[in-house]
Amino acid sequence: MKDRIEYLLGKYWEGDTTLEDEKELKLLLGSQSEFEREKEYFGMVEDYGKEEPKNLFIPKAKVRKLNSRWLSWAASVVIFTASFVGWRAYEQKQQEEQAYQEVMQAFALIQTNMAKGQEQLEVMNEIKYLNTTNQLFGTVKK
C-alpha cells in the first residue's frame, strides 16, 4: 500500500493524476499513519476549497457616457470636412477637363494652319521640275 501511495504522489506532483487517482490517494493517506506532511498539504488544499472569500471587492468598470451634444458637433465637423474635400476634388477634376479641352482646341488650330501651309507649298512642288533658273523666270529665248 505504501508503494501505491508513493506512486500516486509521484503522479500528483507531476500533474498526471485524474480525479479518481486523487480520491484514491486521499483515502489511502487517511488510512496510513505515515506521510504526515502530505496529509497536512491535502488537508490545507481541502480547507482552501471550502473557504468563502470575505470582503471581496470587485470594482465596477467605469462606463463613459458620451455627451450627445459634443458627438453631434463632431459629426457636423466630419460631414463639413468630407463635403469640402469632395467639392475640392470635383473642382480640380473640372479644371483638368477644361485644360484638356483647351489643349485639344490648340492642337486642332495647329492642324488647320498646317493644312493651309501645305496647300500653299504645293505650288512650290512644281518648281522642282524646272531645269534652270532661266526657265523659272522665263528669261530663256527660244
Side-chain angles (χ1 to χ4, degrees), residues 126-141:
E126 295 175 2
I127 294 177
K128 68 180 176 183
Y129 297 115
L130 298 176
N131 290 333
T132 63
T133 55
N134 290 334
Q135 287 178 342
L136 178 62
F137 296 108
T139 56
V140 174
K141 295 182 184 177

Side-chain angles (χ1 to χ4, degrees), residues 71-85:
L71 192 60
S72 65
W73 276 100
S76 300
V77 169
V78 168
I79 290 172
F80 177 73
T81 304
S83 299
F84 180 73
V85 169

Side-chain angles (χ1 to χ4, degrees), residues 5-126:
I5 292 174
E6 288 176 359
Y7 170 74
L8 288 173
L9 282 173
K11 278 181 69 174
Y12 181 80
W13 295 122
E14 292 294 322
D16 294 333
T17 57
T18 62
L19 291 176
E20 291 81 22
D21 291 341
E22 290 178 19
K23 287 179 185 177
E24 181 184 354
L25 180 61
K26 288 178 187 177
L27 286 173
L28 291 174
L29 283 174
S31 65
Q32 288 290 319
S33 60
E34 300 175 1
F35 302 104
E36 290 299 320
R37 210 170 107 199
E38 285 80 6
K39 285 181 187 180
E40 288 177 18
Y41 175 75
F42 283 105
M44 287 189 308
V45 171
E46 282 183 21
D47 291 343
Y48 284 131
K50 293 176 185 174
E51 190 173 316
E52 288 290 322
K54 297 176 182 166
N55 297 330
L56 183 62
F57 175 70
I58 300 173
K60 292 183 180 179
K62 288 186 177 180
V63 178
R64 286 185 78 182
K65 185 178 178 185
L66 293 176
N67 190 347
S68 61
R69 187 175 204 185
W70 286 108
L71 192 60
S72 65
W73 276 100
S76 300
V77 169
V78 168
I79 290 172
F80 177 73
T81 304
S83 299
F84 180 73
V85 169
W87 176 73
R88 292 286 292 171
Y90 174 76
E91 287 292 320
Q92 184 177 1
K93 186 170 174 111
Q94 291 297 324
Q95 288 174 353
E96 289 173 359
E97 181 68 29
Q98 184 180 1
Y100 173 77
Q101 292 299 330
E102 289 175 4
V103 167
M104 294 309 289
Q105 286 175 354
F107 282 153
L109 182 63
I110 291 171
Q111 183 179 9
T112 303
N113 289 338
M114 287 283 288
K116 286 180 185 176
Q118 283 180 345
E119 287 176 7
Q120 291 176 358
L121 285 176
E122 284 183 16
V123 175
M124 296 300 285
N125 273 341
E126 295 175 2

